[in-house]
Amino acid sequence: MTRITVAHGDGIGPEIMAATLKIIKEAGARIEIDEIRVGEKEYLAGNTSGISADSWDKIRKNKVFLKAPITTPQGGGYKSLNVTTRKALGLFANVRPCMSYHPYVKTKHPVMDVVIVRENEEDLYAGIEHQQTDEVVQCLKLISRPGCEKIVRYAFEYAKLYNRKKVTCFTKDNIMKQTDGLFHQVFDEIAAEYPEIENEHWIIDIGAAKLADSPEDFDVIVTPNLYGDVISDIAAQITGSVGLAGSSNIGLSCAMFEAIHGSAPDIAGMKIANPSGLLNGAIMMLNHIGQNDVAEKVHNAWLTTIESGIHTADIYKEGTSKRRVNTEEFADAVISNLGKLPRELKPVSYAGAGNFEMKEVERKPARKKVLKGTDLFVHWSGTEPDKLGAILQEMETANFKLSMITNRGIKVWPDGFEETFCTDHWRCRFKNPDGGEVSKKDIIEVLSKAEAKGVDVVKTENLYSFDGVDAFSLGQGQ
Ligand code: NAD
C-alpha cells in the first residue's frame, strides 16, 4: 500500500478526480488516500498561496501528490499554487507525454508520440525582475550546472527506462552562449554516458517549427523552463486535444501528478468533463510508485475505450465516435474494459517501468576565478554615446579603463553607428587594459568617482574568468 495525497481541486476537478480514483481503485491500485483542500476556497479563506500549512505537511509526508486542476482567483496577490509547489518541493522535472490517437481523436499528425521533459525550477521563472531606468526593465535568466545536470540526466534515464530511442535538446545557444550554452554543454557531456540512446540538439526556433510540422521525428525532448512551457502546450495541442494529456512533476523526494488542462469553469458541475488528462497523470503516478501492473491495466483499458468510440463531448466527432458519454459513463466504460488490450492503437507495456534512482549531482571543485573588470549599468538620458564615453573616461583609474559601452547589448562606443536606437540604459565596461586581474577596490574607486560626478549607476556586474577562460559575453558588434 502506498499512501498518497489527493486534492480534488476546483471547477471540474472534483468530477474528474472521482472518475479517476474510481477507475484506478477498480483496477486494483494499492493506495491509501489523505485528502487535502487546495485552490480557490483556500485562496478566498485568506491563504495567498492557495494551500494551508497542514496540507503541506501531508504532501511532504506522503511524497506523492495527485492534484486536480484548481482555479486561481483573478486579481493581484494570489500566487500560482503550481509554481509554488514545484519550487518549494524541488520538483525539477516536468514530464509530459504527448501522443496522438489517430483515427479516434482527430489530428493532423497521426503518428506522434513525444515526451517533453521541461526543466521546472530555474531559467526566467526565477521571477527576479527589476525596473532599472525609466525605459528599461530586466528579468534575470538563471541557469545552474546542477539544474542542467539533473534535468538532462532525468531525460536520459527516462528514455532508458521507457525504451525510447532518442533524446533531443532544444536551446537558443547561438544567442545565449553562457546560459543556454551551459545547458547544451551539459547535454553533450551527459549524452556521452548513454551511447545506446541517440542524441541531437536543435536551436529552439527551428526545433519548435519542426516539432509542429513533423512530430514523428521526435521522441524525448529536454529543454529549459520557458521553452518547455511553450512547446509542451504546442505538442499537447497538436495531438488533437489538450484534454487528454497528463503530466508529472518529479523531484528527488516528492512528486506531483496532474492533468495539463485547467479547471474548465465553463463546464463545471455539468458532469460532462473528460477525465482522461487526470487519468493519464494518475497512470504516471502508478508507474512512479512501482505499481506498473495497475498502470498498464488502466492505460490499456483507457486506449480500448478511446478506440471503441466511447467519447466525452470534447472529443466526440460524428463518424469516428460511437457514443457520447458523460464523465461517469466514460469511467464506467474504462472499468468495463479493464483486462482488455486495444486492437488498433498500440497497447502499452510497463514491465520494468517504475521510478528510478537519480544519481546525486556531483558538485564540481571550485575553479580558479579571476576578476577582470566590471560592467556598470548607467541610467543616462542623453543620446550621444560619445558624450557619455567622455564623462566615463574621466572616472578611469590607473588599471581600470573604459573599454566599451553598449545599449541593450549593441556596442555604441567606441565607433558606434548613429543609426543604432538607444534607450536610457547603458552598459559601460571597465577593464584592466592589459587584460589582467583587477581588485574590488578598483570597482569601489570607480563607483565613488561616479557618485561624485552624478553618474547614476543602477547596477554593477563583475566580469570573471574561470580557469583562464573569460566568462562574460562580448558586446554585439564588438
Ligand atoms: P482550461 O484548461 O480550464 O479550459 C480551456 C477549455 O478547455 C475550456 O473550454 C474547457 O471547457 C475545456 N476543457 C478543459 N479541460 C477539459 C476536460 N477535461 N474536458 C472537457 N473540456 C475541457 O483553461 P482556462 O479556461 O484558461 O482556465 C480555467 C482555470 O483553470 C483558470 O483559473 C486557470 O488559472 C486554471 N488552470 C489551472 C491549471 C492547474 O491547476 N494545473 C492549469 C491551467 C489552468
Side-chain angles (χ1 to χ4, degrees), residues 144-154 156 167 169 173 178-197 199-201 222 359 361-365 367:
S144 73
R145 177 169 266 275
C148 296
E149 287 187 15
K150 276 194 296 182
I151 195 67
V152 172
R153 188 170 297 288
Y154 185 90
F156 278 96
V167 180
C169 175
D173 68 336
Q178 299 281 330
T179 47
D180 284 23
L182 176 62
F183 196 96
H184 187 173
Q185 184 190 332
V186 170
F187 176 79
D188 287 344
E189 287 168 16
I190 291 182
E193 294 178 35
Y194 298 84
E196 70 283 12
I197 299 170
N199 71 80
E200 62 179 7
H201 172 269
V222 64
K359 194 169 134 190
V361 171
E362 276 174 40
R363 293 312 240 281
K364 300 260 185 297
R367 289 182 288 166

Side-chain angles (χ1 to χ4, degrees), residues 200-390:
E200 62 179 7
H201 172 269
W202 286 93
I203 299 292
I204 177 74
D205 41 9
I206 188 63
K210 256 180 80 73
L211 173 67
D213 186 57
S214 330
E216 63 279 8
D217 292 346
F218 294 94
D219 195 344
V220 174
I221 297 175
V222 64
T223 187
N225 206 340
L226 177 64
Y227 311 140
D229 193 2
V230 176
I231 64 158
S232 60
D233 268 22
I234 296 173
Q237 180 69 38
I238 64 174
T239 64
S241 169
V242 274
L244 300 180
S247 97
S248 63
N249 295 272
I250 308 284
L252 294 177
S253 146
C254 299
M256 173 171 82
F257 302 86
E258 58 185 343
I260 67 164
H261 59 73
S263 57
D266 51 337
I267 56 165
M270 293 163 74
K271 301 190 164 64
I272 56 165
N274 189 345
S276 299
L278 187 59
L279 184 65
N280 277 315
I283 291 168
M284 296 170 90
M285 175 190 79
L286 290 166
N287 276 323
H288 179 84
I289 60 177
Q291 299 188 19
N292 20 325
D293 53 332
V294 190
E296 185 173 309
K297 197 169 167 188
V298 173
H299 203 158
N300 283 324
W302 178 76
L303 289 169
T304 306
T305 310
I306 294 293
E307 79 174 20
S308 71
I310 298 176
H311 292 167
T312 43
D314 55 311
I315 56 167
Y316 185 89
K317 283 262 158 10
E318 284 301 337
T320 29
S321 304
K322 299 261 167 18
R323 190 151 70 91
R324 185 197 297 257
V325 290
N326 64 26
T327 313
E328 223 177 312
E329 289 164 336
F330 183 83
D332 290 339
V334 176
I335 290 166
S336 71
N337 286 327
L338 286 169
K340 293 186 193 155
L341 294 180
R343 288 190 199 159
E344 301 297 327
L345 293 171
K346 193 165 160 246
V348 295
S349 166
Y350 287 135
N355 197 8
F356 43 81
E357 282 291 311
M358 280 285 293
K359 194 169 134 190
E360 284 271 325
V361 171
E362 276 174 40
R363 293 312 240 281
K364 300 260 185 297
R367 289 182 288 166
K368 185 167 164 32
K369 179 177 156 191
V370 174
L371 183 63
K372 306 288 288 287
T374 195
D375 280 344
L376 300 189
F377 290 81
V378 171
H379 183 177
W380 185 65
S381 306
T383 50
E384 291 166 53
D386 286 350
K387 280 198 182 149
L388 180 61

Side-chain angles (χ1 to χ4, degrees), residues 419-470:
E419 291 86 346
T420 305
F421 179 78
C422 290
T423 67
D424 60 358
H425 184 268
W426 309 81
R427 188 248 315 243
C428 313
R429 178 161 289 178
F430 282 81
K431 283 170 73 182
N432 184 329
D434 304 331
E437 188 167 2
V438 294
S439 83
K440 293 222 170 104
K441 286 197 185 121
D442 292 310
I443 300 174
I444 292 167
E445 203 179 332
V446 169
L447 280 174
S448 17
K449 288 189 174 188
E451 186 60 13
K453 288 188 124 336
V455 173
D456 184 6
V457 177
V458 293
K459 169 182 161 143
T460 62
E461 191 77 57
N462 293 346
L463 310 176
Y464 292 104
S465 70
F466 284 83
D467 284 348
V469 179
D470 285 351

